[in-house]
Amino acid sequence: MSKLYKPNSELQKNAYINSMDMYRQLWQHADEQPEVYWDKLAKEKINWIKPYSRVLNSSKAPFYSWFEGGKLNIADQCIDRHLAKNSNKNAIIWESESGKTRKITYKKLSVSVNKFANILINDLGVKKGDRVVIYMPIIPEAACAMLACAKIGAIHVVVFGGFSAEVLRERIIDTKAKVVITADGAYRHGKPYMLKPIVDQALNECPADLCNKVLVVKHNKVEIPFISGRDYDYQSLVKSQKSTFKSEPMDSEDISFILHTSGSTGKPKGIQHTTAGYILWAQYTSEIVFDLKEDSVFWCTADIGWITGHTYGVYGPLAAGATIVMYEGVLTYPDAGRCWKIIEKHHVTQLYTAPTAIRLLHKVGPNEPSKYDLSSLKVLGTVGEPINPEAWLWYYNSVGGGRCPIVDTWWQTETGGHMISPLPGATPIKPGSATLPLPGISVEILDVNGTPVSQGSQGLLCITKPWPSMFRSVWHDSDRYIKSYYDVVKSSDKNRHIYFSGDGAYYDENGYIVVTGRTDDVMNISGHRVSSAEVESAIASHLAVAEVAVVSQLDDISGESIVAYVVYHNNYDNLNMLTILNELNQILTTEIGPIIKIKRLIIVPGLPKTRSGKVLRRLLRSIARDEQPTQDLSTIENPTIVKIIQDISQKAS
Ligand code: WTA
């Protein structure tokens, strides 16, 4: 058995869940009487405008609905309900890359969100249920834009600011968005970068009836073209807005937002989240997983373009009444100590980041944390990919001083909030394991027939009972919801609806869950989900490329990196590898964004395929990772190609 790190007794005293006995009892109770458990939580945590009449409706499973008949508003839950007691408390502490700080109290945030809501309604004509695309840097106005949508009942669709015009356009079209909210630009690595020109480019080729209004927040003040009649200047409009706004009472099941994420096939899916179930779990998990209290200063480093930035960058901690830190720039700018300096300066109590960031910070400044006063830290969190023991131990010892529990949280865009995680005041932790499911969450590791695998064996990570923050569907594609998530693991019992996450996992010797990564053709590059299919379709547009298959190899910093196996068209044999690599990466930047790049390009004479023509990516992945292929090679149409690719691959590495 590997060493377990016990919770620190100081933290344990006041933790929400402060012993394993308490955790087990709560989990058991939630498992046996789920509706009683969820009912109590919903009544305790949510400010209902109108109470709900039913906790869970499973009659159309796996399309569930929660808290039917209830009315509430997420912005009220995150802001207004805190005003009576905490109006002068900081809701947001924002720091620019250049070191400028803005502190926004709950009172000020409430005024800003109300004014923003008035702009959306009065100047941009946004109505309840309309889709609003948000393409913003990490500035307070980005959070205000999200909360203002919540306030008026519009559905936000946040697109990560590093995505290209192509991706932005696809999402505008997919959701038939009415408005885009953006900024001129922001700063990274000390240099300005631009967003508004990318919006212009995206809208250039959009159908004319979509998005004919763009709201621009001036931030980096670099000159940008303004299209009169279409573009609106936020700073001018905000001056004349009323500071009050009556929140729209939303049904529990109304869609709060759509966020796109990659699946193994086709275009990214618009994951659809609701109102009551989502905010309930965002708030409750913020409290119990991070031990968030009203005096906590919580810093989640994720961009708002990802689910982590939604649930724990904005909604959860604000609903819990804490202070959030938002940082505009790069964690290592201008030097390796920046991240630790921010913690010292703002007395951050919880830091939530990704293994990629931890590995990078470790690499560029292993001793940097010791130069800063990090004594305010209480809990450290990680998310997005499996964390390797070396990074975990450095995080635990050098950042947390051996006294801060690490919560390794496993969850997904689809789950809305944490599913598997240690509880900081209860769970003994160890490197590399997200440990145990949270109370109310039924995680099982199964085979494809829905039978549990034995301890130590790899299986499919599934969730076998509904939970309130689960996504309700894929935007405009309920078939895909069923096919991608509920049709993979099928039990003979037709009444069992098993949600398959796409991840593999096993139970270790402590009975803890170890998540091993995706079992499908989704890659995890620096914690960003990207499908092989998306990358391949971009690469295939290059004139020289006849065929391509993309897989991931392991990488010291980004966790996984991309290997592309390319077959050239006949007359393109003598191309310079570096030139073609640059050209392919340029295409990826244009089609997806600069976060996706090929690390290793391997030119091969053909790809291994089944007789029905399916490329065997799993086999290519084993080759790229220098692992012995475990796949059945008997179904390959052209078996000799395997040895040829292995030889080329070895020479190329
Ligand atoms: C991976 C991010 C191991 C996993 C919240 C999942 C993790 C995908 C962990 C979801 C973790 C997330 N340990 N792997 N603690 N957390 N993952 O939708 O493969 O961007 O399916 O949501 O990230 O990525 P997504």
Side-chain angles (χ1 to χ4, degrees), residues 261 306-308 382-387 408-414 434 501-503 515 517-518 524 527-529:
T261 192
W306 313 116
I307 191 68
T308 308
T382 149
V383 59
E385 5 152 18
I387 179 162
D408 176 350
T409 58
W410 178 86
W411 61 294
Q412 309 179 290
T413 307
E414 292 85 342
S501 64
D503 282 348
V515 180
R518 304 290 303 194
N524 192 331
H528 303 150
R529 269 166 76 168

Side-chain angles (χ1 to χ4, degrees), residues 18 66 68 118 153 173 230-231 259 326 339 361 367 394 398 428 437-438 468 471 475 496-497 532 628 635 640:
N18 63 9
W66 286 88
E68 273 177 5
N118 280 314
I173 294 174
R230 190 198 74 179
D231 297 347
L259 185 62
M326 293 177 91
C339 179
L361 290 164
N367 300 318
W394 180 75
S398 301
L438 295 176
F471 69 129
W475 177 250
R496 257 189 112 201
H497 301 282
S532 302
Q628 206 44 43
T635 59
T640 50

Side-chain angles (χ1 to χ4, degrees), residues 109-274:
L109 180 63
S110 135
V111 169
S112 301
V113 169
N114 289 345
K115 289 187 173 181
F116 214 122
N118 280 314
I119 295 179
L120 292 180
I121 297 252
N122 301 329
D123 296 289
L124 304 180
V126 178
K127 293 194 287 300
K128 180 180 174 186
D130 284 344
R131 274 76 60 206
V132 172
V133 164
I134 298 177
Y135 188 63
M136 296 275 272
I138 304 305
I139 54 176
E141 287 76 11
C144 289
M146 294 164 77
L147 290 157
C149 286
K151 193 112 217 188
I152 69 172
I155 299 170
H156 62 63
V157 182
V158 183
V159 179
F160 170 54
F163 276 138
S164 65
E166 197 60 43
V167 172
L168 182 59
R169 181 186 310 123
E170 270 171 15
R171 292 181 193 185
I172 291 169
I173 294 174
D174 185 42
T175 56
K176 296 203 169 50
K178 192 162 186 180
V179 164
V180 179
I181 305 173
T182 190
D184 43 8
Y187 292 91
R188 281 183 76 76
H189 296 287
K191 294 196 190 80
Y193 73 91
M194 302 309 290
L195 292 168
K196 167 69 165 54
I198 299 177
V199 174
D200 293 339
Q201 211 184 326
L203 291 181
N204 266 345
E205 285 166 42
C206 255
D209 58 328
L210 295 183
C211 263
N212 35 36
K213 295 206 167 98
V214 177
L215 182 65
V216 186
V217 177
K218 298 268 181 56
H219 175 59
N220 72 0
K221 313 268 167 49
V222 174
E223 186 111 6
I224 42 163
F226 239 68
I227 301 180
S228 94
R230 190 198 74 179
D231 297 347
Y232 291 74
D233 176 23
Y234 167 80
Q235 273 90 349
S236 323
L237 289 178
V238 79
K239 286 187 198 134
S240 56
Q241 300 300 326
K242 277 207 317 215
S243 56
T244 52
F245 188 93
K246 190 167 173 335
S247 303
E248 181 70 34
M250 301 295 287
D251 282 341
S252 295
E253 282 292 304
D254 276 339
I255 302 175
S256 55
F257 65 85
I258 299 167
L259 185 62
H260 290 79
T261 192
S262 295
S264 47
T265 53
K267 292 218 180 289
K269 301 178 269 220
I271 299 298
Q272 213 171 287
H273 278 288
T274 58

Side-chain angles (χ1 to χ4, degrees), residues 359-427:
R359 286 190 291 264
L360 180 71
L361 290 164
H362 182 195
K363 184 175 166 207
V364 298
N367 300 318
E368 284 298 310
S370 65
K371 299 181 188 159
Y372 298 85
D373 177 4
L374 304 182
S375 59
S376 57
L377 283 174
K378 292 190 170 137
V379 177
L380 300 172
T382 149
V383 59
E385 5 152 18
I387 179 162
N388 51 311
E390 194 192 355
W392 193 100
L393 287 167
W394 180 75
Y395 200 31
Y396 187 78
N397 291 315
S398 301
V399 179
R403 68 194 152 73
C404 304
I406 294 182
V407 288
D408 176 350
T409 58
W410 178 86
W411 61 294
Q412 309 179 290
T413 307
E414 292 85 342
T415 68
H418 302 146
M419 297 284 103
I420 308 173
S421 173
L423 293 166
T427 320

Side-chain angles (χ1 to χ4, degrees), residues 456-515:
S457 311
Q458 273 273 358
L460 307 171
L461 186 60
C462 298
I463 308 174
T464 50
K465 281 188 188 156
W467 67 101
S469 70
M470 65 195 299
F471 69 129
R472 295 300 189 270
S473 192
V474 174
W475 177 250
H476 281 174
D477 201 346
S478 46
D479 284 353
R480 202 164 171 204
Y481 172 75
I482 302 285
K483 271 206 199 94
S484 308
Y485 300 101
Y486 288 94
D487 268 359
V488 186
V489 178
K490 286 289 243 197
S491 124
S492 51
D493 175 358
K494 294 275 171 293
N495 293 320
R496 257 189 112 201
H497 301 282
I498 301 171
Y499 168 83
F500 172 47
S501 64
D503 282 348
Y506 65 88
Y507 289 108
D508 71 5
E509 70 277 15
N510 297 97
Y512 281 178
I513 297 163
V514 177
V515 180

Side-chain angles (χ1 to χ4, degrees), residues 622-648:
S622 303
I623 297 175
R625 294 179 180 203
D626 237 347
E627 295 163 357
Q628 206 44 43
T630 51
Q631 294 78 6
D632 172 14
L633 302 184
S634 65
T635 59
I636 301 190
E637 187 200 18
N638 45 350
T640 50
I641 197 75
V642 178
K643 176 85 182 68
I644 299 173
I645 295 177
Q646 270 173 326
D647 288 347
I648 299 175

Side-chain angles (χ1 to χ4, degrees), residues 569-623:
H569 279 298
N570 278 346
N571 36 356
Y572 284 92
D573 285 348
N574 293 321
L575 292 174
N576 176 295
M577 281 274 272
L578 208 55
T579 314
I580 192 108
L581 179 64
N582 285 338
E583 286 174 10
L584 294 178
N585 278 333
Q586 190 48 51
I587 295 178
L588 288 173
T589 300
T590 312
E591 294 288 314
I592 303 176
I595 50 169
I596 300 302
K597 288 212 161 31
I598 302 170
K599 183 98 181 244
R600 193 144 73 101
L601 174 66
I602 302 175
I603 308 298
V604 290
L607 297 174
K609 291 182 190 160
T610 61
R611 291 200 185 95
S612 57
K614 248 181 118 191
V615 173
L616 291 157
R617 287 207 196 83
R618 213 68 37 86
L619 171 66
L620 288 172
R621 190 169 72 173
S622 303
I623 297 175

